[in-house]
Amino acid sequence: MTELTARDVEDAAANLAPVAARTPALSALSLDQAAGWPVVCKAESLQRTGSFKFRGAYHHASSLTPAERTRGLIGASSGNHAQALALAGRLLEVPATVVIPADAPTPKVEGIRALGGRVVTYRRDSENRDALVAEIAARDGLAVVPSANSRHIMAGAGTAALELLTDHPEIETLVVPVGGGGLAAGTATIAKHLHPGIKVIGVEPQEGADTLLSLRCGQRIALPDVPATIADGLGHNSPSPLTWAVNSQLLDTVVTVTDHDITTAMAFAFRHLKVVAEPSGACALAAVLAGLVPHESGMIGVVISGGGVDWPTFHRLISQSTHRKEPSHAR
């Protein structure tokens, strides 16, 4: 694979224009006051299937030749990529099989099935999902659509940042969650092209900081256990090889947030932005509200990456935050 380029992201944007939603950029005075800086949030929780993942899944799948995808698609995911792949298959009129954890959130599973996706489950603690995907793909002749480790996936994910920076070129720091790394890689690639001086900050849950630890070591590392975090979409053991090649060069830094920070951000987004964010989707906002993002001046851009959470879980998590004082940081 050649290096991911801004042209890749721009091509992805053209491909996605007829099918992806151009999600809103949200702001609120209360958010600016809490963060201590002007902040604008890209609400990818309002994207088709509820997360940014549709951008990459569709772009990758539609870039395959008809012969490559004729028997169907397959991919592994904690849930968001799986829903995105199911919709991509439906739009392209090919069957989609998704391999998801047995404990994946109910709305994500229901969303996959509603879109016609075939669901195969695995146990996070004892089964290798990538090996299972490879086995099924080989047996059934399916085309694998990775959740992150693909040039087309990274480029598609980066279109969210392209839209945000087109709408708000004054952004000086851009904050994104890091799981498999596709969103961060696509974001950093297009952001640094459009504004070479911009800072791009990745955010991981404290218990799943594989990218941060890899950056500290100067090479990809693997966590010994499956990360125990409420941000299930960011619970990766190791950065994907292709995304690591980009992120290790272009991310300015990676910071980590606690589950407490995440639930506070979920509650804040609901109260002040009227947005439902899943734990993984709220991580970037959590870092901003907790004052963890290095920033010296100007506007901060934040990607709220997904909203795949059921009401009982959402209510339980934000209820933990109702007694807390609203975040407030002085400049």
Side-chain angles (χ1 to χ4, degrees):
M1 186 198 90
T2 58
E3 182 182 359
L4 183 69
T5 67
R7 178 61 183 270
D8 292 325
V9 180
E10 292 163 348
D11 288 346
N15 185 40
L16 289 165
V19 293
R22 188 181 180 97
T23 53
L26 306 177
S27 60
L29 178 59
S30 54
L31 175 55
D32 296 349
Q33 292 171 335
W37 302 99
V39 180
V40 62
C41 297
K42 183 67 166 170
E44 281 295 288
S45 51
L46 302 178
Q47 183 55 256
R48 297 183 75 170
T49 70
S51 85
F52 77 96
K53 288 288 189 178
F54 174 69
R55 296 174 182 269
Y58 182 86
H59 184 53
H60 182 109
S62 64
S63 298
L64 297 169
T65 66
E68 288 172 323
R69 63 174 184 256
T70 186
R71 297 191 63 181
L73 312 170
I74 186 170
S77 164
S78 64
N80 283 336
H81 176 65
Q83 289 184 85
L85 185 58
L87 178 56
R90 187 183 186 96
L91 294 174
L92 295 167
E93 300 182 335
V94 293
T97 297
V98 295
V99 178
I100 63 173
D103 61 350
T106 300
K108 295 182 180 181
V109 179
E110 292 175 346
I112 295 163
R113 289 184 169 139
L115 290 166
R118 171 194 172 205
V119 175
V120 176
T121 61
Y122 74 97
R123 294 182 59 85
R124 294 178 193 259
D125 57 352
S126 60
E127 294 183 279
N128 185 315
R129 74 175 192 178
D130 293 331
L132 182 57
V133 166
E135 176 187 336
I136 297 172
R139 183 191 68 205
D140 298 342
L142 307 180
V144 177
V145 180
S147 62
N149 196 46
S150 149
R151 181 176 183 173
H152 287 104
I153 294 290
M154 293 186 286
T159 61
L162 174 58
E163 291 175 5
L164 181 58
L165 291 171
T166 299
D167 292 341
H168 291 277
E170 69 272 30
I171 289 173
E172 296 190 17
T173 298
L174 193 47
V175 190
V176 293
V178 182
L183 177 61
T187 295
T189 297
I190 192 64
K192 299 286 186 177
H193 170 76
L194 295 174
H195 306 295
I198 197 171
K199 289 192 295 185
V200 181
I201 311 299
V203 183
E204 293 183 297
Q206 231 175 44
E207 301 303 320
D210 54 298
T211 296
L212 174 59
L213 295 175
S214 295
L215 288 171
R216 288 176 176 172
C217 294
Q219 60 182 357
R220 291 173 60 234
I221 60 94
L223 301 176
D225 301 304
V226 175
T229 171
I230 61 171
D232 64 292
L234 306 184
H236 291 253
N237 290 72
S238 182
S240 301
L242 299 185
T243 62
W244 165 251
V246 177
N247 290 329
S248 61
Q249 297 298 314
L250 295 185
L251 287 182
D252 289 274
T253 191
V254 174
V255 299
T256 63
V257 290
T258 65
D259 284 357
H260 175 108
D261 296 330
I262 294 168
T263 57
T264 298
M266 291 172 67
F268 191 99
F270 183 70
R271 295 186 191 118
H272 298 280
L273 299 176
K274 309 308 177 190
V275 164
V276 173
E278 65 182 280
S280 301
C283 279
L285 180 60
V288 172
L289 291 173
L292 300 173
V293 174
H295 182 71
E296 297 176 357
S297 66
M299 178 176 283
I300 299 174
V302 173
V303 179
I304 298 177
S305 59
V309 58
D310 60 53
W311 169 245
T313 302
F314 182 77
H315 182 263
R316 174 175 57 82
L317 292 175
I318 67 169
S319 294
Q320 298 170 8
S321 303
T322 55
H323 66 283
R324 301 172 191 159
K325 186 178 179 181
E326 291 284 349
S328 179
H329 302 288
R331 249 181 237 183

